[in-house]
Amino acid sequence: MIENPTPNETKRYTITAALPYTNGPIHIGHLAGVYVPSDIYARYLRLQGKDVAFICGSDEHGVAISMKAKKEGITPQQVIDKYDGIIRQSFLDFGISFDNYSRTSSEIHHKTASEFFKKLYDNGDFIEETTEQLYDAKANQFLADRFVIGTCPKCDNPEAYGDQCEKCGSTLNATDLIHPKSTITGETPILKATKHWFLPLNRYESFLREWILEGHKNDWKPNVYGQVKSWIDGGLEPRAVTRDLDWGIDVPVAGAEGKKLYVWFDAPIGYISSTKEWAAREGKDWEPYWKDANTKLVHFIGKDNIVFHCIIFPAMLKAEGSYILPDNVPANEFLNLEGNKLSTSKNWAVWLHEYLQDFPEKQDVLRYALTANAPETKDNDFTWKDFQARNNNELAAIYGNFINRVVVLTHKYYDGIVPAPNEFSEVDEQVLAELKAYPAVISSSIERYRFREALGELMNVARLGNKYLADEEPWKMVKENPVRVQTQMYVALQIASALAILSEPFLPFTAAKLCNILQIKGNNWNLEFNNWNLTKPGHQIGHPETSGGILFAQIEDAEIQKQLDKLEATKTANKVENAKAAPQKETASFEDFAKIDLRIGTIIEAEKMPKANKLLVLKVDTGIDVRTIVSGIAEHFTPEEVIGKRVTVLVNLAPRALRGVESEGMLLLTNNAAGQLVFVNPDAEGVINGALIS
């Protein structure tokens, strides 16, 4: 193990972002938890001229891939190729600036992971044990973690997986589950003996306690530190690093035929193999980025991956002996969507590739909304209304408004040429001094992984500019004191130029557009403030119409409603998919059934029952008479909708008075999976087998 550098000794940065599973596209939860904060950090360091390797790649092994392949009726290779393409393009379109994005199915990764395992194996770091694992006799296979579902022993969630309960967050073993079921066949699995290799985490308990609980007590995020402490204090146990699977990296030792490396052993090694791939392409040596004490390693992950990156992977690195340890693991909590937990399987998500289709050229609006509402220390909720408000009331009304004023007035008064300042007033000096402090303020927040705070300070730069213009009112001053206006506009242009540069980590597309408008280069965070010449006198700026248009357009209510409607449709689809029939009632005799008199009828009149929200008073032609029937369907149908409707009528139901009106029968209806009443018709949309007629 190599000691971590002090800040002054850091020569290079290795930044890793959690490898996304290629069993589905990227959604906003992934972005908020991992990819936006890691990209902000990498971009910021590059602007400071730092040596950065920003590393990621597709995680293409493990049960999630096999499950997706079975569900879609295709091969695992087809699954990973499909989603790797979607994910890779989404990251590119969204501006996530990876230095390398690899695949764990690549030859270099298989070789790297195999060699890593073999070194630990040869060193005697594993325990070889034959244990009883869950086995699906019907499917004739051992059940990997995600092929088992059952009741969580800690919170009683009946839908916990064999490796983790998504309700309480507990990490589990499949054999811990109560009443386990195979997700392949639905059968109750049996226990069957199988041989596996285990990493004895208990051997590394004192090392982890010293390294994290003592060494990082004051600089790691409390949510990360707390979860790690809970794990260590609870006592660490050996963890299997192999699995009985047909998809993954072969275990490279004799007697391990048919076994694969456990995905959580293989996946973090993907950071190393991706770095090797990048270094080979760039003509660099990869080893200093993983083995030099002057390298700072930072893992960006979501909270569900904390145990793997803070306990299991460090234990692996410690066992191997030649690698550095992470300096920090700034994991975020979860982002919810409109009050409900994001779910890939239930399609309850905002998918990045769909967002980019629905909101073209608005990458930065989503980056801004996700950063401003980032779940840095607790779960947060994304809502489309908040997204709209962030754009309209902050980006457009504050940031965009300031830039628009500066550019328009510079063209109006000086034909787009930066004026030379005259004597600075006390207000000018104060504003420029405040502006000069912002890079250090924002840097401090970024380097403490407080990206939400850093973004707030960036917006304060725009607020500073807006307030300055509002207080100084150059549009009024220009007639009585044009000399003073030159200074005012010069100061405003310095603020605008600083915004262009300081925005790059957070809003890269906006920063590029603003640099184009101002005709400046924004590639250096260390701003030159000595002569206040971020934009020099005599410099010609561009015009919005010819330099990329306005920065932030208003987002209209109709655009937001479209997204809300899409989510509502998802809710309905989930209800349909998960609808279950009510249990059968007690057995009825043929004589019971023979008493029922069902007729086809037509509703010829309908009106609402006075002072009754649920009742309609209907006139129904039953073929034997025309009778009055009172039905509780007013919350689902208007009188106009039901007139002329052909219906099934129970005509020999005993009459009864409802609010003074005698009802002589009953209409037969059922509910569709979305909970809506429908007249009995087996072909009606959403009516499932087993729907109860009443």
Side-chain angles (χ1 to χ4, degrees), residues 196 244 305:
H196 282 293
D244 291 291
N305 292 339

Side-chain angles (χ1 to χ4, degrees), residues 12 14 53 108 112 115-116 269 271-280 283-292 295 320 322-323:
R12 67 192 67 79
T14 301
I108 193 171
T112 301
E115 289 173 349
F116 199 108
I269 297 172
Y271 301 138
I272 300 169
S273 58
S274 183
T275 307
K276 287 182 177 181
E277 187 177 80
W278 165 74
K284 293 175 176 283
D285 180 3
W286 73 271
E287 290 203 3
Y289 292 88
W290 280 95
K291 297 187 176 184
D292 191 305
T295 296
E320 200 280 344
S322 67
Y323 286 85

